[in-house]
Short mmCIF file of all heavy atoms in Angstrom, two decimals:
data_model
loop_
_atom_site.label_atom_id
_atom_site.label_comp_id
_atom_site.label_asym_id
_atom_site.label_seq_id
_atom_site.Cartn_x
_atom_site.Cartn_y
_atom_site.Cartn_z
N ARG A 1 0.83 -1.21 0.00
CA ARG A 1 0.00 0.00 0.00
C ARG A 1 0.86 1.26 0.00
O ARG A 1 0.58 2.22 -0.71
CB ARG A 1 -0.95 -0.01 1.20
CG ARG A 1 -2.22 -0.80 0.96
CD ARG A 1 -3.27 -0.50 2.03
NE ARG A 1 -3.26 -1.40 3.17
CZ ARG A 1 -3.75 -2.62 3.17
NH1 ARG A 1 -4.27 -3.14 2.09
NH2 ARG A 1 -3.72 -3.36 4.26
N ALA A 2 1.91 1.25 0.81
CA ALA A 2 2.81 2.41 0.87
C ALA A 2 3.50 2.64 -0.48
O ALA A 2 3.67 3.79 -0.91
CB ALA A 2 3.85 2.23 1.97
N LEU A 3 3.89 1.57 -1.15
CA LEU A 3 4.54 1.71 -2.46
C LEU A 3 3.56 2.24 -3.50
O LEU A 3 3.93 3.04 -4.36
CB LEU A 3 5.14 0.37 -2.89
CG LEU A 3 6.29 -0.14 -2.01
CD1 LEU A 3 6.69 -1.55 -2.44
CD2 LEU A 3 7.48 0.81 -2.03
N VAL A 4 2.31 1.80 -3.43
CA VAL A 4 1.28 2.30 -4.35
C VAL A 4 1.03 3.78 -4.12
O VAL A 4 0.94 4.57 -5.07
CB VAL A 4 -0.02 1.47 -4.24
CG1 VAL A 4 -1.17 2.14 -4.97
CG2 VAL A 4 0.21 0.05 -4.77
N VAL A 5 0.97 4.19 -2.86
CA VAL A 5 0.78 5.62 -2.54
C VAL A 5 1.95 6.43 -3.09
O VAL A 5 1.77 7.47 -3.71
CB VAL A 5 0.63 5.83 -1.02
CG1 VAL A 5 0.78 7.30 -0.64
CG2 VAL A 5 -0.71 5.29 -0.55
N ARG A 6 3.17 5.93 -2.89
CA ARG A 6 4.34 6.64 -3.40
C ARG A 6 4.29 6.73 -4.92
O ARG A 6 4.60 7.77 -5.50
CB ARG A 6 5.62 5.94 -2.96
CG ARG A 6 6.84 6.82 -3.27
CD ARG A 6 8.17 6.19 -3.04
NE ARG A 6 8.35 5.58 -1.73
CZ ARG A 6 9.45 4.92 -1.40
NH1 ARG A 6 10.44 4.78 -2.27
NH2 ARG A 6 9.58 4.39 -0.21
N ALA A 7 3.89 5.65 -5.58
CA ALA A 7 3.79 5.65 -7.05
C ALA A 7 2.79 6.71 -7.51
O ALA A 7 3.06 7.46 -8.46
CB ALA A 7 3.38 4.27 -7.55
N ARG A 8 1.65 6.78 -6.84
CA ARG A 8 0.66 7.80 -7.19
C ARG A 8 1.21 9.20 -6.96
O ARG A 8 1.01 10.10 -7.78
CB ARG A 8 -0.62 7.60 -6.39
CG ARG A 8 -1.46 6.46 -6.87
CD ARG A 8 -2.84 6.42 -6.19
NE ARG A 8 -3.64 5.39 -6.77
CZ ARG A 8 -4.06 4.31 -6.14
NH1 ARG A 8 -3.78 4.12 -4.86
NH2 ARG A 8 -4.78 3.41 -6.76
N ASP A 9 1.90 9.40 -5.84
CA ASP A 9 2.50 10.70 -5.54
C ASP A 9 3.50 11.13 -6.62
O ASP A 9 3.67 12.31 -6.89
CB ASP A 9 3.20 10.69 -4.18
CG ASP A 9 2.24 10.66 -3.00
OD1 ASP A 9 1.02 10.88 -3.20
OD2 ASP A 9 2.71 10.40 -1.88
N LEU A 10 4.16 10.16 -7.22
CA LEU A 10 5.13 10.44 -8.28
C LEU A 10 4.48 10.61 -9.65
O LEU A 10 5.17 10.89 -10.63
CB LEU A 10 6.17 9.31 -8.34
CG LEU A 10 7.13 9.26 -7.15
CD1 LEU A 10 7.94 7.97 -7.18
CD2 LEU A 10 8.05 10.48 -7.16
N GLY A 11 3.17 10.42 -9.72
CA GLY A 11 2.46 10.58 -10.98
C GLY A 11 2.48 9.36 -11.88
O GLY A 11 2.12 9.46 -13.06
N LEU A 12 2.87 8.22 -11.34
CA LEU A 12 2.84 7.00 -12.15
C LEU A 12 1.40 6.58 -12.38
O LEU A 12 0.53 6.83 -11.55
CB LEU A 12 3.61 5.88 -11.45
CG LEU A 12 5.09 6.15 -11.17
CD1 LEU A 12 5.73 4.93 -10.51
CD2 LEU A 12 5.84 6.53 -12.42
N ARG A 13 1.16 5.94 -13.51
CA ARG A 13 -0.18 5.47 -13.83
C ARG A 13 -0.28 3.95 -13.83
O ARG A 13 -1.38 3.40 -13.83
CB ARG A 13 -0.62 6.02 -15.18
CG ARG A 13 -0.81 7.53 -15.16
CD ARG A 13 -1.46 8.04 -16.42
NE ARG A 13 -0.71 7.65 -17.59
CZ ARG A 13 -0.02 8.48 -18.36
NH1 ARG A 13 0.01 9.75 -18.10
NH2 ARG A 13 0.64 8.04 -19.40
N ARG A 14 0.88 3.27 -13.82
CA ARG A 14 0.88 1.81 -13.84
C ARG A 14 2.03 1.27 -13.00
O ARG A 14 3.09 1.88 -12.97
CB ARG A 14 1.02 1.29 -15.28
CG ARG A 14 -0.13 1.72 -16.17
CD ARG A 14 0.07 1.32 -17.61
NE ARG A 14 1.27 1.96 -18.13
CZ ARG A 14 1.92 1.54 -19.21
NH1 ARG A 14 1.48 0.50 -19.88
NH2 ARG A 14 2.99 2.16 -19.63
N LEU A 15 1.77 0.12 -12.38
CA LEU A 15 2.80 -0.57 -11.61
C LEU A 15 2.88 -2.01 -12.11
O LEU A 15 1.87 -2.69 -12.23
CB LEU A 15 2.46 -0.59 -10.12
CG LEU A 15 2.84 0.61 -9.30
CD1 LEU A 15 2.41 0.40 -7.84
CD2 LEU A 15 4.32 0.88 -9.37
N PHE A 16 4.09 -2.45 -12.33
CA PHE A 16 4.39 -3.80 -12.80
C PHE A 16 4.96 -4.60 -11.64
O PHE A 16 5.61 -4.06 -10.75
CB PHE A 16 5.42 -3.70 -13.93
CG PHE A 16 6.06 -5.01 -14.31
CD1 PHE A 16 5.36 -5.95 -15.05
CD2 PHE A 16 7.37 -5.29 -13.95
CE1 PHE A 16 5.94 -7.16 -15.42
CE2 PHE A 16 7.96 -6.49 -14.31
CZ PHE A 16 7.25 -7.42 -15.05
N CYS A 17 4.73 -5.90 -11.65
CA CYS A 17 5.46 -6.80 -10.76
C CYS A 17 5.63 -8.14 -11.46
O CYS A 17 4.85 -8.51 -12.34
CB CYS A 17 4.76 -6.98 -9.42
SG CYS A 17 3.24 -7.94 -9.49
N LEU A 18 6.68 -8.83 -11.11
CA LEU A 18 6.95 -10.19 -11.56
C LEU A 18 6.93 -11.03 -10.30
O LEU A 18 7.72 -10.81 -9.39
CB LEU A 18 8.33 -10.25 -12.23
CG LEU A 18 8.76 -11.62 -12.73
CD1 LEU A 18 7.94 -12.03 -13.94
CD2 LEU A 18 10.24 -11.61 -13.08
N THR A 19 5.99 -11.97 -10.23
CA THR A 19 5.76 -12.60 -8.94
C THR A 19 5.28 -14.05 -9.03
O THR A 19 4.68 -14.45 -10.02
CB THR A 19 4.72 -11.78 -8.13
OG1 THR A 19 4.62 -12.32 -6.82
CG2 THR A 19 3.36 -11.78 -8.80
N PHE A 20 5.54 -14.78 -7.96
CA PHE A 20 4.92 -16.08 -7.73
C PHE A 20 3.67 -15.90 -6.89
O PHE A 20 2.86 -16.80 -6.78
CB PHE A 20 5.88 -17.01 -6.97
CG PHE A 20 7.05 -17.50 -7.78
CD1 PHE A 20 8.30 -16.91 -7.63
CD2 PHE A 20 6.91 -18.54 -8.67
CE1 PHE A 20 9.38 -17.35 -8.36
CE2 PHE A 20 7.99 -18.99 -9.41
CZ PHE A 20 9.23 -18.39 -9.26
N GLU A 21 3.53 -14.75 -6.24
CA GLU A 21 2.43 -14.48 -5.30
C GLU A 21 1.26 -13.81 -6.01
O GLU A 21 0.86 -12.69 -5.68
CB GLU A 21 2.95 -13.61 -4.15
CG GLU A 21 4.12 -14.20 -3.40
CD GLU A 21 3.83 -15.54 -2.73
OE1 GLU A 21 2.65 -15.80 -2.39
OE2 GLU A 21 4.78 -16.32 -2.55
N VAL A 22 0.69 -14.50 -6.97
CA VAL A 22 -0.37 -13.95 -7.82
C VAL A 22 -1.58 -13.52 -7.00
O VAL A 22 -2.11 -12.42 -7.18
CB VAL A 22 -0.76 -14.96 -8.92
CG1 VAL A 22 -1.95 -14.46 -9.73
CG2 VAL A 22 0.43 -15.23 -9.83
N ASP A 23 -2.04 -14.36 -6.09
CA ASP A 23 -3.23 -14.03 -5.30
C ASP A 23 -3.01 -12.78 -4.46
O ASP A 23 -3.89 -11.93 -4.36
CB ASP A 23 -3.64 -15.20 -4.41
CG ASP A 23 -4.14 -16.40 -5.22
OD1 ASP A 23 -4.51 -16.22 -6.40
OD2 ASP A 23 -4.16 -17.51 -4.66
N PHE A 24 -1.84 -12.66 -3.85
CA PHE A 24 -1.53 -11.50 -3.03
C PHE A 24 -1.63 -10.22 -3.85
O PHE A 24 -2.29 -9.25 -3.46
CB PHE A 24 -0.12 -11.64 -2.42
CG PHE A 24 0.36 -10.39 -1.73
CD1 PHE A 24 -0.02 -10.12 -0.43
CD2 PHE A 24 1.20 -9.50 -2.38
CE1 PHE A 24 0.43 -8.98 0.22
CE2 PHE A 24 1.64 -8.34 -1.74
CZ PHE A 24 1.25 -8.08 -0.44
N PHE A 25 -0.99 -10.20 -5.00
CA PHE A 25 -1.01 -8.99 -5.83
C PHE A 25 -2.39 -8.75 -6.43
O PHE A 25 -2.83 -7.61 -6.56
CB PHE A 25 0.09 -9.04 -6.90
CG PHE A 25 1.44 -8.69 -6.35
CD1 PHE A 25 2.31 -9.68 -5.94
CD2 PHE A 25 1.84 -7.37 -6.21
CE1 PHE A 25 3.56 -9.37 -5.41
CE2 PHE A 25 3.07 -7.03 -5.69
CZ PHE A 25 3.94 -8.04 -5.28
N ALA A 26 -3.10 -9.82 -6.77
CA ALA A 26 -4.46 -9.68 -7.29
C ALA A 26 -5.38 -9.01 -6.27
O ALA A 26 -6.25 -8.21 -6.64
CB ALA A 26 -5.02 -11.03 -7.72
N GLU A 27 -5.17 -9.30 -4.98
CA GLU A 27 -5.95 -8.64 -3.92
C GLU A 27 -5.79 -7.13 -3.95
O GLU A 27 -6.65 -6.40 -3.47
CB GLU A 27 -5.51 -9.14 -2.53
CG GLU A 27 -5.96 -10.52 -2.18
CD GLU A 27 -5.46 -10.91 -0.79
OE1 GLU A 27 -5.55 -10.07 0.14
OE2 GLU A 27 -4.96 -12.05 -0.65
N HIS A 28 -4.70 -6.67 -4.51
CA HIS A 28 -4.41 -5.24 -4.59
C HIS A 28 -4.68 -4.66 -5.97
O HIS A 28 -4.29 -3.54 -6.26
CB HIS A 28 -2.96 -4.98 -4.18
CG HIS A 28 -2.72 -5.27 -2.73
ND1 HIS A 28 -2.90 -4.34 -1.74
CD2 HIS A 28 -2.37 -6.41 -2.09
CE1 HIS A 28 -2.66 -4.88 -0.57
NE2 HIS A 28 -2.34 -6.14 -0.75
#
């Protein structure tokens, strides 16, 4: 959540991740 807030503060519109934890990231 903190990283998403920081991304928004920086004006980013998209966030990428490469993960094995698909369900965790899908929850977000």
Side-chain angles (χ1 to χ4, degrees):
R1 276 194 267 283
L3 295 173
V4 168
V5 166
R6 190 187 309 176
R8 285 189 175 115
D9 288 348
L10 290 169
L12 300 182
R13 293 189 304 250
R14 298 175 299 160
L15 276 180
F16 167 74
C17 71
L18 179 70
T19 187
F20 289 101
E21 303 299 333
V22 174
D23 293 341
F24 172 83
F25 281 95
E27 286 179 44
H28 292 272

